[in-house]
Structure formats: structure tokens, C-alpha cells
Amino acid sequence: MAGITVLVKAVGMSLRTDLELARQDNRSLRQEIARLKTILRERLGEQLEAESSHSLRQRIDELTDANVRYQNENLTLTSSNEDLTTQLRTHEADLTATRTSLRRMIREQTSEISRESGEEKT
């Protein structure tokens, strides 16, 4: 009987040791899980930041390209506007000259008609 008691005690101690080892393994595994979760969160955060900064860089590039296009278009329109302004001034000068010439012709015609009328009366 003493042998059975020793065997039962040995089995009990073995079970307690196994239980304590399982508890230590569980603690160790929980710590490992927590560590891996932290690493995973950090990496996901880094990936999100990288994607976010990538999309921001891409948007900045798009806006920069649009800005260059608008600046070039602005230069083209400014040049076109200057050309049209020059043409307008030229046409205004031509119009003024034509009006002056027309007035002179009307005066000359009126003078001629007046002279011819005066000669007929005499």
C-alpha cells in the first residue's frame, strides 16, 4: 500500500508539475501573441502611412502637372491676348484714318458742289 501511496503522490506531483508547465507555456504564448500583435499593428500602421504618403505624393504630382499645364495655358492666352490687343489698336487706327479720310472727301465734295452751284448762279 505504501507503494501505491508513493505512486499516487508521484502522479499527483507529476500532474502539478505538468499543470505548472502548461501555465508557464500559456503565459509565454500569451506574451508572444501580445508581442506579435504589437508588431502586426506597427507594420500595418507603417503600410497605411506608406500608402497614404504614396497617394499624397501622387496627388501632389497630379496637382503640380495641372499647375504647369495651367501656367502654360495662361502664357498662351496672355500672348494671344497681346496679339489681339495689337490687332485691335491697328484696326482702331485704320478706322480713325478712314473716318478722317472720309470726312476730308465729304468736305471736298461739298466744296466742289458748292463751287459748282455758285458758278451756275452767276
Side-chain angles (χ1 to χ4, degrees), residues 52-86:
S52 177
S53 66
H54 174 72
S55 64
L56 288 175
R57 273 184 259 132
Q58 189 175 18
R59 181 67 176 141
I60 288 170
D61 290 342
E62 289 171 4
L63 291 173
T64 302
D65 291 343
N67 190 27
V68 168
R69 275 194 320 272
Y70 293 139
Q71 286 176 344
N72 289 336
E73 186 177 335
N74 190 24
L75 288 173
T76 301
L77 291 173
T78 299
S79 175
S80 177
N81 188 20
E82 289 171 355
D83 291 344
L84 290 172
T85 301
T86 301

Side-chain angles (χ1 to χ4, degrees), residues 34-47:
R35 186 182 71 78
L36 291 173
K37 281 183 180 179
T38 302
I39 290 171
L40 182 61
R41 278 190 206 108
E42 289 173 357
R43 290 200 178 148
L44 284 174
E46 289 170 2
Q47 285 178 352

Side-chain angles (χ1 to χ4, degrees), residues 19-122:
L19 180 62
E20 185 57 34
L21 287 174
R23 286 180 179 158
Q24 287 177 2
D25 282 346
N26 284 344
R27 277 192 292 273
S28 176
L29 290 172
R30 285 188 186 116
Q31 289 174 351
E32 181 69 11
I33 288 170
R35 186 182 71 78
L36 291 173
K37 281 183 180 179
T38 302
I39 290 171
L40 182 61
R41 278 190 206 108
E42 289 173 357
R43 290 200 178 148
L44 284 174
E46 289 170 2
Q47 285 178 352
L48 287 174
E49 285 179 18
E51 287 177 17
S52 177
S53 66
H54 174 72
S55 64
L56 288 175
R57 273 184 259 132
Q58 189 175 18
R59 181 67 176 141
I60 288 170
D61 290 342
E62 289 171 4
L63 291 173
T64 302
D65 291 343
N67 190 27
V68 168
R69 275 194 320 272
Y70 293 139
Q71 286 176 344
N72 289 336
E73 186 177 335
N74 190 24
L75 288 173
T76 301
L77 291 173
T78 299
S79 175
S80 177
N81 188 20
E82 289 171 355
D83 291 344
L84 290 172
T85 301
T86 301
Q87 288 177 8
L88 177 63
R89 287 186 182 138
T90 302
H91 292 308
E92 285 175 341
D94 290 346
L95 180 60
T96 301
T98 302
R99 284 180 179 163
T100 302
S101 177
L102 183 59
R103 284 187 191 121
R104 187 177 312 122
M105 287 174 56
I106 290 172
R107 270 189 246 124
E108 288 173 2
Q109 288 290 330
T110 305
S111 289
E112 243 180 74
I113 292 173
S114 294
R115 270 183 278 168
E116 288 176 5
S117 304
E119 288 177 10
E120 289 178 10
K121 291 183 182 178
T122 28

